[in-house]
């Protein structure tokens, strides 16, 4: 009997470790900035979500009456309403093939952070970027030129990567690029200053948190990482509590 109780206790601990119902729920009207990367038919992973699961998540957000924003809408959004920002890092080609179709189908928006000189991945083409920009459903931000870890290079190199990525993205989309994302979520105070001085109005990190938008410092915005391997219960926990597991 003692052995059964021990097994039950261990099972309960494992369940609560992966389903954090015990965490306090966050206020519903705080922004939820969700971080994705690719969406494709490839094997789901931390970096890739299937189009089917992404569609279920969008449907859930619509059902719960979330307002879908682009990241640059956040500074001026003052309605007492649930709101969410879908962000996608790097500029994978799957964001055109699958994500773009879902955005048009449900008439919702997203922000994609481009890395113009990224290597080793199938990236969005200039014509795809222009089409997505013209649709009004997508905002494009910058993610440095080469997806470099800013904390691993000198300040001159970091500044060059930040400024040149803004110019490169603006050349692709034909409008001002206002949004920035720190590659790997790595940055320091100098990099925040560089992003601000370059003319960006917001910058996102990889810090997992749900927090009120801070107009005094919109350059260290937290995001909620969405793995392609989670289920809808875990997605609910992320939205309500900021994370689903320890």
């Amino acid at each position: 009997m003692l052995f059964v109780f021990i097994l039950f206790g261990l099972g309960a601990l494992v369940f609560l470790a992966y389903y954090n119902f015990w965490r306090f729920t966050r206020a519903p009207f705080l922004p939820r900035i969700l971080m994705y990367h690719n969406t494709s038919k490839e094997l789901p992973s931390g970096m890739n979500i299937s189009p089917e699961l992404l569609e279920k998540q969008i449907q859930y957000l619509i059902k719960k009456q979330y307002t879908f924003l682009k990241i640059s809408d956040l500074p001026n959004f003052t309605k007492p309403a649930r709101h969410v920002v879908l962000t996608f890092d790097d500029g994978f080609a799957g964001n055109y093939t699958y994500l773009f179709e879902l955005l048009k189908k449900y008439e919702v928006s997203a922000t994609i952070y481009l890395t113009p000189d990224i290597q080793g991945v199938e990236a969005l083409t200039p014509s795809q970027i222009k089409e997505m920009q013209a649709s009004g459903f997508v905002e494009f931000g910058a993610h440095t030129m080469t997806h470099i870890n800013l904390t691993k290079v000198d300040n001159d190199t970091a500044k060059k990567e930040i400024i040149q990525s803004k110019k490169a993205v603006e050349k692709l989309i034909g409008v001002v690029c206002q949004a920035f994302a720190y590659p790997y979520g790595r940055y320091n105070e100098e990099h925040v200053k560089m992003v601000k001085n370059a003319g960006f109005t917001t910058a996102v990190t990889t810090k997992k948190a749900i927090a009120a938008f801070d107009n005094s410092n919109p350059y260290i915005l937290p995001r909620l990482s969405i793995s392609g391997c989670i289920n809808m219960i875990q997605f609910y926990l992320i939205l309500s509590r900021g994370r689903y597991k320890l």
Side-chain angles (χ1 to χ4, degrees):
M1 182 63 70
L2 178 59
F3 181 68
V4 172
F5 278 115
I6 291 174
L7 283 180
F8 178 81
L10 289 174
L13 288 174
V14 170
F15 177 83
L16 292 174
Y18 279 89
Y19 292 87
N20 288 182
F21 285 99
W22 48 267
R23 291 185 185 275
F24 289 112
T25 57
R26 303 290 288 143
F29 299 152
L30 295 176
R32 270 62 172 174
I33 307 175
L34 309 185
M35 179 178 69
Y36 300 85
H37 287 81
N38 194 20
T39 176
S40 75
K41 296 289 188 176
E42 297 175 7
L43 195 67
S45 67
M47 295 279 288
N48 182 62
I49 186 171
S50 70
E52 293 77 16
L53 179 56
L54 179 58
E55 183 167 20
K56 287 182 180 179
Q57 293 177 358
I58 290 174
Q59 290 172 338
Y60 177 84
L61 292 166
I62 292 172
K63 181 180 179 181
K64 294 300 180 179
Q65 299 183 321
Y66 276 86
T67 298
F68 288 76
L69 303 176
K70 300 166 187 173
I71 198 72
S72 294
D73 296 329
L74 271 181
N76 300 313
F77 189 81
T78 58
K79 296 180 181 179
R82 293 182 176 183
H83 51 298
V84 64
V85 184
L86 308 182
T87 68
F88 291 76
D89 289 4
D90 304 335
F92 287 92
N95 293 339
Y96 176 84
T97 308
Y98 301 105
L99 168 65
F100 189 36
E101 293 306 310
L102 291 174
L103 299 181
K104 292 186 291 184
K105 179 179 179 179
Y106 292 100
E107 298 185 335
V108 298
S109 60
T111 298
I112 298 174
Y113 295 99
L114 297 175
T115 310
D117 287 343
I118 194 168
Q119 301 295 315
V121 304
E122 185 181 359
L124 293 167
T125 66
S127 62
Q128 290 171 339
I129 292 169
K130 286 181 172 61
E131 182 183 347
M132 296 169 82
Q133 172 68 33
S135 73
F137 293 121
V138 179
E139 172 186 22
F140 287 101
H143 199 34
T144 72
M145 288 297 294
T146 61
H147 204 276
I148 197 168
N149 184 334
L150 295 172
T151 63
K152 298 294 185 180
V153 297
D154 59 74
N155 282 345
D156 287 341
T157 301
K159 184 176 181 180
K160 183 178 179 181
E161 284 271 342
I162 291 168
I163 293 174
Q164 287 191 351
S165 67
K166 186 176 192 297
K167 292 179 179 178
V169 172
E170 289 175 343
K171 185 176 181 180
L172 285 167
I173 63 178
V175 296
V176 175
C177 174
Q178 302 183 69
F180 185 80
Y182 302 99
Y184 310 105
R186 305 295 184 183
Y187 65 94
N188 59 37
E189 291 184 6
E190 285 301 312
H191 302 133
V192 174
K193 292 177 183 176
M194 292 176 192
V195 170
K196 181 178 180 179
N197 291 337
F200 293 102
T201 59
T202 64
V204 293
T205 69
T206 59
K207 181 181 179 182
K208 297 178 178 67
I210 298 171
F213 182 83
D214 185 0
N215 271 298
S216 66
N217 189 2
Y219 299 101
I220 51 171
L221 301 177
R223 290 189 289 177
L224 305 175
S225 180
I226 307 297
S227 167
C229 300
I230 65 172
N231 57 44
M232 290 304 295
I233 297 175
Q234 291 166 331
F235 183 66
Y236 158 76
L237 289 170
I238 292 171
L239 288 174
S240 61
R241 291 153 171 84
R243 60 179 64 207
Y244 72 90
K245 66 177 182 178
L246 290 175

